[in-house]
Amino acid sequence: MKTVRSPWLWVPSLYFAEGVPYVLVNTISVMLFAKMGVPNDDLAFFTTLLYFPWFLKGLWSPVVDVVKTKRWWIIAMQLAMILLCALLVITLPHPDAEMIAAKNTPVSLFWLTLVLFIITAFASATHDIAADGYYMLAHPADSQARFIGIRSTFYRIATIFGQGVLVAVAGVVEDRTDDIALSWQITIAVAALVMFILSVYHIFALPKVEVEHKPETQTIHSLADAFKTFFTKRGIWLAILFMLLYRLPEGLLVKMTLPFLIDSPEVIVRDGQIIGGGLGLSTVTVGLLYGIVSLIFLLLGGILGGLYISRKGLKRSLWIMAALLTLPNLVYVYLSAAHPADLWIIGSAISLEQFGYGFGFTAYMMYMMYVAQGEYKTSHYAICTAFMALSMMLPGFVAGKIEMAVGYNLFFWISIICSCATLLVTWLVYRQVNEEYGRKNNNSNDNIVTD
């Protein structure tokens, strides 16, 4: 028996709760370490490690399927993340002001913080598995389709909340107390409070769904068969190459944009390492510009990208989307060379880049759906998302070292040069994509699977 309850009562809150810890681990952690004076090379390397749970989550997803219920996993992981946030608040180190100003705070000072972040990442990835499975169980298929846009929208709202509101909170506290560590303790405490309210609400709002009969595709044998059939698809290695390289410029860029925005404009060379050369923006300003204004354009780009593919199809959209994913990154070349002080110029440049990313990333998501078609489309899509996580991890590991060796301006030029890899893999996969795939009212099931 299922408890009948309107999806409006739980879908928006569930996907908001899914987005908040992801932003905390993968975005706010970068800002936190940058403000604490951790050098860019260590910052980029260790925060990139936090992607690993999302890369590996397919390995333990069968456990979520067969142990307890997905509703139990959702509430348990939310409560676990609240506890972990509380521990982060209590144990966050307080480096001295001179160390922060010199940007030489050793990352070893934050070993416990990193451990707690990685455990939070595993809890968040497990929550994602349970929430997505629960979504498919808790209401009929026609209702699922109607609420796809709703769940995506509230996940994006959580992103805006994390990158905008939470970062702005840190900035306000920092301005009033001149205590950077305290500002991030309060910010994480606010995130924990929000998660606590959501978890209490979900205890009562999430409808109780019985454990349904597990089909054959969820057995260990079928899981192995899903991996086997994925890697024997026609053209799969080219598809994997596309998934790894299409976002290469972004993988480099994403770890250095926040440090660039807040770093001092003054350039210092210490032991061959270039320190500074940023825009010197305040935390509050970054929260408003990068967390709210730019995310509006990111959403706009994603919406228009989806509409464009539905009209033109994936194949005809690939080139323009690849171009718009990479070329707007030139704005960071301009910002790092000109160092404008006008916030309208800075905000417009960042918004242009975010719009291009939102528009261009749509093709990547659609291509993963194209590759995943077939009997095991759920498992195959999960494998694709693992390669998506890997595509961000590999360049993220070296981004900080490259920037500290050459400085921000040349680093951003290198990210633009890497767009050649994006264009190359786009050209390679263009010939294999079905002409009609993705177009509205298209019923073609052609894919790259070898039956």
Side-chain angles (χ1 to χ4, degrees), residues 324-379:
L324 284 175
L325 182 76
T326 56
L327 293 182
N329 293 342
L330 282 167
V331 302
Y332 284 101
V333 174
Y334 163 73
L335 292 174
S336 60
H339 285 82
D342 191 323
L343 291 181
W344 284 102
I345 295 176
I346 297 171
S348 298
I350 295 173
S351 297
L352 175 63
E353 183 264 339
Q354 289 291 293
F355 176 84
Y357 165 66
F359 195 88
F361 182 64
T362 309
Y364 188 86
M365 297 296 290
M366 200 72 186
Y367 184 76
M368 290 197 300
M369 294 172 63
Y370 178 74
V371 172
Q373 292 180 104
E375 180 184 0
Y376 298 102
K377 61 183 177 182
T378 301
S379 297

Side-chain angles (χ1 to χ4, degrees), residues 22 79 123 138 165 249 256 286 324 343:
Y22 181 87
L79 294 174
V165 176
M256 289 296 104
V286 172
L324 284 175
L343 291 181

